[in-house]
């Protein structure tokens, strides 16, 4: 059990930039500290200025051996950073066993119900809160200098550097004692799920996303032109009322709700008339109904224009300008920040920019996904779990019909369509049927909502505002009832799961990732029903998240012998890679094997991974087995 921590400094050409020492594409390793027992931390200077350092190549050779040694538990606080730096500078993929104390911190409780957040898991804070020692900050230690400008023989320099590894080791022992006492399963998650996932995140951070800047600039001009056209049309209808860039100004709200006396169909959290997507749809419906007067009826064409105007604005600000401002000047790529523990179910999130929320192809007039391109001589390869949450749900509820469809490589959405509409399974799969698209859309929304205790009103909202399909709440209730009759074990699993969560006060994933539900016994129906939905959602969505993180751990083990395989992004149930053109088949077979492996000992529903390749992310074609 050895803890370690890297110190870094900017490369010469980037020394004037802020926080650049944390950017693996613009910084270098200055030194490394190690600790093998509390109070024994040492610091090894590698590249300090104007002093004698250890032999760099000899040390890096040692470091490579250490990081890939499968008999040493390698402990670090935020191992994603260490992973990124050593991968970028040494080409090393850190191998298990690994232990990230920042992940451990976020899987321990700070009170009866809440786990620590990332913002509450900094090493300096934890050293004080848990070990009772106040450590000096980076700013106090460096006094405005870069770390390589400090004297590595100075007591405070050594204390600062060695304390990072020493206190990571102390936290390792404290957290493991806590896990053994209170939540043993969380220790397993830290060791075998979250810490390897953090290493994988470091690799994605370094590799980044190649983007087609010329295409983005071309689309930016198109978006601006479309916004101007739509803005002018809206202005003609409203008499030059100021709508701003978002179509949600006070002046515009006054025009709609005071001047035109449109009904307030929805309120914001502040109690003001809402003008979000749902509100615009409802306002349009009012203007088209017989409840509207003549002036209001004339406004029915306004709301589609406004929704389109906003859509172009979102594309321009979020996916063009937003992406362009994050292009790294050293690499010409985007290097998003992936966070593994920012959601309560364990699903990853992404920021700076959020590359996980690219619009679907059927709702994107410019093709945002085409912005992400393959590097020269390479292809993008996407490996996407097929209906993984549905498969996990079938594993939980043990419904024979669901199990049969997955074991026979069937289509769960077609089966649901068959149950809903009383048609044959083959008819439900017929893409040439004029009713196919609407029926399948309803089936998908039902499938993704029904496991989580979706009520008729919730299904009505989902269909209306997400799928553009209008059903009455009575029809939605009938849809839900027909699904529960078709999948007979579903209701019994839901009832048992809610009962168990009510009794325990929490719900868990298959690996034991816990989520507390303090409102599960609330007298407030809204709070209680929300907690009940979380009780159903977490086991399925969280287990699916654990499944893809376990696949990442398997991939890590195979990367040292495949240095050409570059993980670049995780998007919900999909892993994205950059692969040399002549290695696509080998990569696909390896990745599919890692992802389709049985995730847990008793998991008997086959997992299926669909692999697609292409020169850009928007034009991927399925790779046949």
């Amino acid at each position: 059990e050895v803890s370690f921590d890297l110190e870094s400094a900017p490369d010469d050409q980037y020394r004037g930039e802020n926080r650049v020492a944390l950017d693996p594409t613009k910084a270098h390793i200055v030194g490394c500290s190690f600790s093998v027992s509390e109070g024994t931390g040492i610091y090894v200077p590698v590249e300090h200025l104007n002093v004698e350092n250890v032999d760099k190549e000899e040390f890096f050779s040692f470091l490579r051996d250490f990081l890939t040694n499968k008999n040493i538990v390698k402990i670090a606080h935020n191992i994603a950073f260490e992973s990124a730096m050593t991968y970028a500078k040494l080409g090393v993929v850190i191998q298990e066993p690994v232990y990230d104390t920042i992940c451990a911190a976020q899987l321990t409780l700070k009170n009866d119900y809440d786990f620590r957040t990332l913002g509450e898991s900094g090493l300096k804070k934890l050293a004080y809160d848990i070990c009772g020692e106040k450590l000096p900050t980076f700013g106090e230690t460096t006094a405005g200098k870069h770390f390589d400008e400090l004297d590595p023989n100075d007591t405070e320099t050594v204390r600062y550097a060695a304390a990072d590894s020493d206190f990571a080791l102390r936290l390792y022992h404290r957290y493991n004692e806590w896990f053994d006492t209170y939540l043993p399963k969380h220790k397993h998650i830290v060791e075998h799920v979250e810490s390897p996932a953090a290493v994988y995140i470091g690799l994605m951070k370094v590799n980044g996303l190649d983007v087609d800047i010329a295409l983005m600039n071309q689309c930016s001009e198109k978006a601006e032109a479309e916004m101007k056209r739509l803005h002018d049309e809206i202005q003609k209808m409203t008499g030059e009322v100021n709508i701003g860039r978002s179509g949600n100004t006070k002046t515009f709200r006054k025009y709609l709700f005071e001047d035109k006396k449109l009904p307030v169909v929805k309120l914001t959290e502040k109690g003001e008339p809402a003008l979000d997507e749902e509100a615009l749809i409802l306002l349009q419906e009012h203007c088209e109904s017989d409840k509207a007067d003549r002036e209001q009826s004339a406004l029915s064409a306004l709301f589609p224009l406004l929704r389109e105007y906003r859509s172009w604005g979102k594309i321009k600000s979020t996916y063009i300008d937003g992406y362009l401002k994050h292009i790294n000047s050293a690499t010409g790529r985007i290097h998003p920040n992936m966070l593994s523990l920012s959601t309560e179910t364990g699903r990853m999130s992404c920021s700076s920019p959020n590359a996980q929320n690219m619009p679907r192809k059927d709702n994107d007039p410019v093709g945002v996904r085409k912005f992400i391109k393959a590097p020269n001589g390479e292809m993008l390869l996407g490996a996407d779990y097929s209906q993984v949450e549905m498969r996990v749900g079938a594993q939980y509820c043990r419904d024979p019909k669901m199990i049969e469809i997955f074991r026979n490589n069937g289509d769960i959405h077609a089966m649901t369509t068959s149950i809903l509409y009383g048609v044959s399974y083959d008819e439900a799969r017929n893409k040439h049927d004029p009713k196919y698209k609407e029926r399948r859309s309803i089936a998908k929304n039902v499938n993704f909502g029904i496991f989580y205790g979706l009520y008729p009103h919730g299904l009505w909202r989902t269909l209306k505002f997400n799928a553009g399909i209008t059903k009455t709440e009575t029809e939605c209730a009938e849809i839900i009832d027909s699904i529960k009759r078709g999948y007979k074990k579903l209701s019994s699993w839901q009832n048992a799961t809610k009962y168990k969560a009510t009794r325990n006060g929490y719900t868990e994933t298959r690996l034991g990732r816990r989520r507390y539900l303090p409102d599960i016994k609330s007298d407030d129906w809204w709070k209680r029903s929300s907690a009940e939905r979380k009780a159903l959602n977490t086991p399925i969505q969280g287990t699916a998240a654990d499944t893809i993180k376990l696949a990442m751990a398997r991939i890590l083990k195979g990367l040292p012998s495949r240095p050409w395989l570059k993980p670049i992004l995780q998007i919900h149930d999909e892993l994205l890679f950059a692969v040399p053109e002549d290695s696509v088949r080998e990569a696909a077979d390896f990745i599919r094997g890692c992802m389709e492996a049985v995730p847990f000992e008793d998991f008997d529903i086959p997992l299926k991974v669909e692999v697609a390749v292409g020169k850009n992310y928007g034009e991927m074609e399925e790779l046949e087995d």
Side-chain angles (χ1 to χ4, degrees):
E1 298 170 351
V2 181
S3 64
F4 74 107
D5 181 83
L6 298 174
E7 298 298 340
S8 58
D11 296 337
D12 288 344
Q13 63 268 47
Y14 305 114
R15 293 178 84 83
E17 296 184 19
N18 292 328
R19 294 180 61 82
V20 75
L22 301 177
D23 184 344
T25 69
K26 297 181 177 181
H28 56 276
I29 297 170
V30 171
C32 185
S33 65
F34 298 90
S35 184
V36 294
S37 63
E38 294 189 14
T40 67
I42 64 166
Y43 179 62
V44 182
V46 179
E47 204 167 340
H48 282 260
L49 301 176
N50 305 317
V51 297
E52 184 177 357
N53 298 282
V54 301
D55 183 278
K56 185 165 69 171
E57 294 309 315
E58 187 177 355
F59 175 73
F60 284 161
S61 177
F62 161 81
L63 191 61
R64 286 188 185 94
D65 291 342
F66 165 68
L67 295 175
T68 56
N69 190 316
K70 297 181 180 179
N71 297 312
I72 298 175
V73 180
K74 295 159 287 289
I75 303 157
H77 195 77
N78 188 20
I79 203 168
F81 173 73
E82 272 69 24
S83 170
M85 286 298 296
T86 53
Y87 181 62
K89 304 307 168 187
L90 308 177
V92 170
V93 176
I94 301 175
Q95 293 295 296
E96 291 189 73
V98 290
Y99 192 104
D100 188 354
T101 49
I102 205 169
C103 292
Q106 293 174 84
L107 286 166
T108 56
L109 289 166
K110 62 180 179 181
N111 54 42
D112 290 343
Y113 301 113
D114 299 310
F115 292 95
R116 284 183 181 269
T117 64
L118 179 61
E120 297 165 328
S121 300
L123 184 65
K124 306 295 186 288
K125 178 174 176 56
L126 295 175
Y128 183 78
D129 290 350
I130 295 175
C131 304
E133 183 155 347
K134 188 177 187 303
L135 299 179
T137 66
F138 182 83
E140 291 168 345
T141 303
T142 60
K145 296 180 179 179
H146 295 299
F147 208 83
D148 60 357
E149 297 173 315
L150 303 182
D151 183 352
N153 294 302
D154 181 79
T155 302
E156 289 307 308
T157 303
V158 175
R159 182 194 177 205
Y160 176 88
D164 283 351
S165 57
D166 190 66
F167 277 88
L169 185 66
R170 298 187 197 198
L171 291 174
Y172 167 78
H173 290 302
R174 302 297 193 280
Y175 284 140
N176 281 347
E177 290 171 4
W178 190 91
F179 289 137
D180 289 342
T181 303
Y182 300 106
L183 269 173
K185 292 179 180 178
H186 274 211
K187 179 181 176 182
H188 177 85
I189 292 171
V190 172
E191 293 173 336
H192 300 289
V193 181
E194 291 300 342
S195 295
V199 173
Y200 193 96
I201 284 172
L203 310 188
M204 292 192 290
K205 178 70 174 178
V206 171
N207 290 326
L209 305 172
D210 262 14
V211 290
D212 190 333
I213 296 176
L215 178 61
M216 295 170 77
N217 287 329
Q218 179 183 332
C219 290
S220 178
E221 293 177 5
K222 180 179 179 181
E224 198 64 53
E226 287 297 311
M227 288 184 70
K228 184 180 185 311
R229 176 183 67 79
L230 291 161
H231 182 273
D232 291 346
E233 287 190 46
I234 292 169
Q235 292 275 276
K236 288 177 184 177
M237 293 186 67
T238 60
E240 302 296 324
V241 171
N242 176 30
I243 64 170
R245 296 284 289 187
S246 65
N248 197 19
T249 62
K250 288 184 178 180
T251 306
F252 187 51
R253 288 201 302 272
K254 177 180 179 297
Y255 168 80
L256 294 176
F257 299 112
E258 294 183 22
D259 298 350
K260 298 299 181 182
K261 296 184 169 43
L262 287 176
V264 176
V265 294
K266 187 179 177 183
L267 294 174
T268 66
E269 290 184 0
K270 295 181 179 179
E272 298 176 348
L275 274 182
D276 59 12
E277 184 77 1
E278 290 185 13
L280 295 183
I281 292 172
L282 294 173
L283 286 169
Q284 180 181 344
E285 288 183 352
H286 168 80
C287 292
E288 292 172 350
S289 72
D290 54 12
K291 297 178 182 178
D293 60 29
R294 182 178 297 177
E295 276 192 281
Q296 292 174 345
S297 296
L299 291 175
S300 63
L302 169 65
F303 300 103
L305 292 174
L306 192 58
R307 290 170 62 197
E308 189 180 357
Y309 176 73
R310 281 188 179 171
S311 176
W312 281 106
K314 171 87 171 175
I315 289 168
K316 177 81 165 58
S317 63
T318 301
Y319 303 115
I320 301 176
D321 298 343
Y323 281 15
L324 285 170
K325 76 177 182 180
H326 288 291
I327 291 176
N328 185 297
S329 59
T331 66
R333 299 178 182 177
I334 293 170
H335 300 266
N337 293 326
M338 298 295 299
L339 300 174
S340 187
L341 283 162
S342 60
T343 67
E344 292 186 279
T345 61
R347 297 195 78 168
M348 286 191 177
S349 63
C350 182
S351 64
S352 303
N354 183 356
Q356 289 184 325
N357 74 338
M358 287 179 274
R360 298 189 306 271
K361 292 180 183 179
D362 58 358
N363 189 32
D364 180 4
V366 301
V368 167
R369 294 181 179 226
K370 294 179 184 178
F371 296 166
I372 311 301
K373 67 174 185 175
N376 290 335
E378 300 186 66
M379 300 285 282
L380 294 185
L381 185 151
D384 192 3
Y385 277 115
S386 173
Q387 303 168 357
V388 65
E389 290 189 21
M390 297 293 100
R391 294 171 192 267
V392 171
Q395 175 72 23
Y396 270 112
C397 76
R398 309 305 298 168
D399 182 81
K401 191 170 286 187
M402 289 185 188
I403 293 173
E404 179 186 7
I405 197 72
F406 286 128
R407 285 183 177 169
N408 293 327
N409 197 28
D411 182 341
I412 191 68
H413 299 316
M415 177 58 74
T416 298
T417 300
S418 173
I419 292 169
L420 284 174
Y421 296 101
V423 299
S424 70
Y425 177 69
D426 288 338
E427 186 178 345
R429 298 182 70 183
N430 180 10
K431 295 181 180 180
H432 301 294
D433 189 312
K435 298 179 182 178
Y436 172 83
K437 190 172 182 179
E438 178 176 340
R439 285 177 172 177
R440 190 168 180 84
S441 181
I442 291 175
K444 280 186 175 182
N445 281 279
V446 168
N447 279 338
F448 288 121
I450 200 72
F451 270 108
Y452 309 142
L454 194 65
Y455 291 99
H457 181 72
L459 180 57
W460 170 82
R461 284 173 56 87
T462 299
L463 293 176
K464 184 176 185 65
F465 299 117
N466 293 352
I469 296 169
T470 301
K471 296 284 183 182
T472 66
E473 285 196 39
T474 300
E475 289 174 319
C476 289
E478 291 172 354
I479 288 172
I480 292 172
D481 288 343
S482 66
I483 286 295
K484 290 184 175 180
R485 288 193 301 271
Y487 299 131
K488 298 184 184 300
K489 289 290 189 74
L490 178 57
S491 290
S492 58
W493 172 77
Q494 289 177 324
N495 292 334
T497 302
K498 287 189 286 188
Y499 173 77
K500 184 178 179 181
T502 303
R503 184 186 65 204
N504 294 335
Y506 60 79
T507 188
E508 290 182 325
T509 68
R510 167 61 181 76
L511 286 181
R513 187 189 297 271
R514 187 173 293 185
R515 182 180 189 178
Y516 285 92
L517 304 167
D519 292 328
I520 195 75
K521 296 180 183 179
S522 174
D523 292 332
D524 185 317
W525 182 87
W526 289 104
K527 290 182 178 180
R528 187 176 68 254
S529 62
S530 175
E532 287 176 347
R533 286 193 295 275
K534 292 173 184 176
L536 301 174
N537 168 282
T538 299
I540 296 175
Q541 193 174 96
T543 298
D546 288 343
T547 297
I548 199 166
K549 288 178 180 178
L550 287 168
M552 290 177 180
R554 295 187 199 97
I555 291 169
L556 285 176
K557 293 174 183 176
L559 288 181
S561 61
R562 300 171 179 85
W564 42 264
L565 179 58
K566 300 173 187 174
I568 60 174
L569 190 62
Q570 186 268 345
I571 311 172
H572 308 311
D573 301 326
E574 181 180 14
L575 296 177
L576 193 62
F577 303 84
V579 183
E581 293 179 4
D582 59 0
S583 301
V584 166
R585 175 58 64 182
E586 181 184 348
D589 291 343
F590 167 68
I591 295 164
R592 185 181 276 121
C594 291
M595 294 177 71
E596 291 184 347
V598 176
F600 321 114
E601 187 177 346
D602 57 352
F603 196 94
D604 60 0
I605 306 293
L607 294 172
K608 182 180 179 183
V609 172
E610 296 172 345
V611 176
V613 296
K615 279 296 186 180
N616 65 66
Y617 189 47
E619 296 176 317
M620 308 273 279
E621 294 185 4
E622 186 174 352
L623 186 69
E624 300 296 332
D625 294 343

